[in-house]
């Protein structure tokens, strides 16, 4: 009989000093509230990952320790984006401010993802160390949320403020603002909403979902409960409809792996959808349209704005389909010019087509698919951590249809280090289900 049981090597791991890179990653995650208050998140995380990547760069490691295909795919996406960026910047004469903003976006986006996923292959960074730091950070959601709600209901809505150190960072300041909870309508009901350590509430929904499934591996039961509660509350108060839908989806994916239905999952989905639609005398299109309409009506204005910007982005891409525009150059306005947003503000897929064209889009899809496929085999073989990682990646790929990956990746940079650490430990193991317990917390008997 197959059974999960905790491994008892915690006292031994505590007595061994953590390597330098592991300590840096641990404390950088743990001090997230500090970076948020100082307004340094967009600087600290990519700089830390780049510093550790350079510090661990060694020709011997490159030769003897091969990186997974997905790591090279993200590096390929970085280089493809750089190439198209240069073409776009050349068309405007390499304006200094635009050039700096474009390269910094690339640095804290695709390059940071590549760096974070590569760090565990060049440094000793254990999965459980990342999980412990994320658990403490997730638990802190409860403290900050309590403070924000007390301020909201006790003193009323408060103005956002820009931390002093954030003023020294060039570029736009919106993502650096420290914001307080506020009341926003949801299905016409006024409810509190906040973004905590992120720049936008939907990003908090993504972080809450990813942190929840990462923290399932926490061995300290009390901390685990606080971390899961904090992650779930963050997910709920973000009012991110798509994140809410993706949360049970991840559970379904995990269940399919554990029940042996993963290979037949798509058949079950199609069959059940057809059955329900037939039972209600609806076409497949109408069956999908009904919940989608309810989903969009929850925040009708937001849904319409997103749809408008995405459609305008696709229209702009059609003017330069192969290499894109290289930079964000155009905007879309509506409401008699009251609302103006840059093209590519929402969907990552539309943004990649618009900025990098079909050329960059091919590299982007290769990076997404290769990363997902890296976890398929160990997940099928019974690795519980890889099953969660696979489910989280599927959810993330759906979520980036609504929010740009290059904008929000900075706020869950630890997720990519976790992915790299899982792949690194899988690579070190023999393909034997009796050894999957070394990945974090579980073992098979």
């Amino acid at each position: 009989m197959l059974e999960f049981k905790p491994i008892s090597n915690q006292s031994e791991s505590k007595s061994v000093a953590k390597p330098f890179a592991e300590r840096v990653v641990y404390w950088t995650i743990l001090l997230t509230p500090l970076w948020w208050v100082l307004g340094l998140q967009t600087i600290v995380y990519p700089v830390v990952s780049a510093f550790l990547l350079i510090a661990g760069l060694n020709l011997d490691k490159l030769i003897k320790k091969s990186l997974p295909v997905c790591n090279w795919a993200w590096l390929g996406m970085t280089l493809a984006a750089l190439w198209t960026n240069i073409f776009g910047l050349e068309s405007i004469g390499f304006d200094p401010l635009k050039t700096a903003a474009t390269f910094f976006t690339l640095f804290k986006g695709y390059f940071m993802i590549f760096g974070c996923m590569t760090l565990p292959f060049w440094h000793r960074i254990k999965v459980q160390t990342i999980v412990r730091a994320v658990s403490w950070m997730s638990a802190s959601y409860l403290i900050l949320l309590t403070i924000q709600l007390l301020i909201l209901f006790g003193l009323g809505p408060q103005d956002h403020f820009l931390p002093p150190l954030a003023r020294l960072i060039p570029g736009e300041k919106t993502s650096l603002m420290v914001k307080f909870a506020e009341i926003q309508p949801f299905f016409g009901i006024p409810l509190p909403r906040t973004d905590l350590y992120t720049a936008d509430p939907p990003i908090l929904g993504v972080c809450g979902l990813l942190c929840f499934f990462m923290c399932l591996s926490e061995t300290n039961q009390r901390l685990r409960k606080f971390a899961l509660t904090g992650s779930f509350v963050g997910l709920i108060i973000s009012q991110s409809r798509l994140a809410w839908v993706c949360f049970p989806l991840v559970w379904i994916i995990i269940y399919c792996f554990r029940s042996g239905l993963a290979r037949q999952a798509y058949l079950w989905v199609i069959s059940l959808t057809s059955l329900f639609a037939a039972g209600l005398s609806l076409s497949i299109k109408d069956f999908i349209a009904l919940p989608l309409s309810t989903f969009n009506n929850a925040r009708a204005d937001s849904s319409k704005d997103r749809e408008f910007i995405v459609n305008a982005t696709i229209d702009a891409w059609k003017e330069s389909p192969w290499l894109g525009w290289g930079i964000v150059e155009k905007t879309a306005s509506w409401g008699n010019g009251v609302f103006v947003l840059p093209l590519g503000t929402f969907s990552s897929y539309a943004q990649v087509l618009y900025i990098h064209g079909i050329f960059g889009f091919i590299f982007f899809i290769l990076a997404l698919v290769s990363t997902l496929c890296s976890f398929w085999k160990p997940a099928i073989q019974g690795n519980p951590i890889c099953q969660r990682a696979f489910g989280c990646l599927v959810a993330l790929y759906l979520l980036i249809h609504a929010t740009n990956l290059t904008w929000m990746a900075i706020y869950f940079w630890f997720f990519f280090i976790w992915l790299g650490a899982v792949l690194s430990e899988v690579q070190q193991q023999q393909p034997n289900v009796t050894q999957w317990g070394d990945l974090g917390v579980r073992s098979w008997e």
Side-chain angles (χ1 to χ4, degrees), residues 136-150 196-197 230:
W136 280 113
M137 187 201 67
S138 300
S140 73
Y141 282 178
L142 293 175
I143 300 173
L144 180 59
L145 184 58
T146 301
I147 295 173
Q148 289 205 7
L149 292 181
L150 288 175
L196 295 183
Y197 305 136

Side-chain angles (χ1 to χ4, degrees), residues 4 23 26 67 86 90 112 179 195 200 203 366 428:
F4 288 123
R23 293 200 306 271
Y26 179 84
L67 293 176
I86 291 174
E90 185 181 21
M112 188 194 69
K179 303 175 184 178
D195 44 23
D200 200 36
I203 303 178
L366 284 175
Q428 295 170 18

Side-chain angles (χ1 to χ4, degrees), residues 54-72:
I54 295 172
L57 182 60
N58 186 295
L59 184 59
D60 188 55
K61 290 180 181 179
L62 284 174
I63 296 174
K64 293 183 178 180
K65 292 188 177 181
S66 59
L67 293 176
V69 174
C70 60
N71 291 47
W72 294 116

